[in-house]
Amino acid sequence: MSIDKDLQCREIITKAVCGKGRKFTHVSHNVTPPFAPTSILGAWIINNQFEAVHAGEGVEVVGTYDINIWYSYDRNTKTDVAKETVSYVELVPLSYLDKKHKSATAEVAAIATQEPNCVEASVSASGDSVVIRVEREFQVEMIAETKVCVVVCRNGCNDFDDKHVDFDDSADGDFEDLDAELLEDELD
């Protein structure tokens, strides 16, 4: 392969996504209401708040949410709602990591691709508390400075000066032949 004498390479330092990760988790919580529950009438999770923190080759998602349990007690003759705030720390490993990034400039971000959700609530075997099963999923990114190599033309970019090239972007494109799944995979 021959290299054009008019081309040279330059390294550019830029901010880029240098790491990505995703983690799906099932967790269980025990909530002890003021009265021994007879049955569970409903359970839901609200007020999920979190932040992302850089942690080695991963990202920690640190947050809290409120668990609300509507339950009956006193042999199904009375009802109440038990509320408890739960703290969590979820370490999300980076499945992709550019080792050449400058960690001093790293910023991390997280989104909840699945908000914490109660998938099961049952009275514990002892009968004095409620066992809540929760599923949640987070996607994280690490953005940092890194080097990229670009090819530079020594004589400038005059390739288009002597040629008429029509870059008409106002034409109605025919997008029916595009593969939507391929586009979605590229965006992920």
Side-chain angles (χ1 to χ4, degrees):
M1 176 175 172
S2 68
I3 298 177
D4 189 343
K5 294 177 186 175
D6 292 333
L7 298 178
Q8 65 182 18
C9 291
R10 288 223 178 103
E11 290 180 329
I12 296 175
I13 296 176
T14 186
K15 281 191 170 187
V17 175
C18 295
K20 285 185 172 190
R22 180 181 287 226
K23 186 173 182 182
F24 178 82
T25 311
H26 275 104
V27 294
S28 292
H29 301 289
N30 264 344
V31 177
T32 305
F35 308 102
T38 305
S39 63
I40 308 305
L41 305 172
W44 59 98
I45 296 175
I46 60 172
N47 299 329
N48 182 36
Q49 297 177 350
F50 60 89
E51 64 180 22
V53 180
H54 189 236
E57 291 192 4
V59 174
E60 281 186 345
V61 179
V62 181
T64 61
Y65 49 75
D66 296 333
I67 298 174
N68 291 277
I69 303 165
W70 182 32
Y71 67 100
S72 68
Y73 64 97
D74 199 18
R75 291 184 283 200
N76 289 328
T77 61
K78 299 176 184 169
T79 65
D80 196 8
V81 175
K83 300 174 186 176
E84 186 169 307
T85 300
V86 174
S87 299
Y88 63 90
V89 176
E90 190 74 62
L91 178 61
V92 181
L94 297 174
S95 56
Y96 160 72
L97 179 61
D98 176 1
K99 300 282 187 183
K100 295 182 181 181
H101 76 278
K102 296 186 181 223
S103 61
T105 64
E107 303 167 19
V108 291
I111 60 168
T113 52
Q114 180 174 326
E115 289 287 334
N117 182 37
C118 176
V119 292
E120 183 181 5
S122 58
V123 177
S124 67
S126 63
D128 61 349
S129 65
V130 178
V131 179
I132 304 289
R133 276 197 17 190
V134 175
E135 58 184 26
R136 58 187 184 221
E137 183 178 43
F138 292 99
Q139 181 177 339
V140 297
E141 286 186 342
M142 181 178 64
I143 300 164
E145 284 186 359
T146 189
K147 283 185 187 179
V148 293
C149 185
V150 296
V151 177
V152 179
C153 302
R154 282 189 198 169
N155 297 331
C157 294
N158 55 8
D159 289 21
F160 296 111
D161 291 347
D162 60 347
K163 298 177 184 99
H164 174 70
V165 180
D166 186 15
F167 290 109
D168 183 16
D169 60 354
S170 65
D172 292 332
D174 189 9
F175 298 109
E176 288 136 12
D177 296 334
L178 292 177
D179 184 354
E181 285 185 28
L182 179 62
L183 290 174
E184 288 174 4
D185 290 343
E186 289 297 319
L187 293 174
D188 288 341

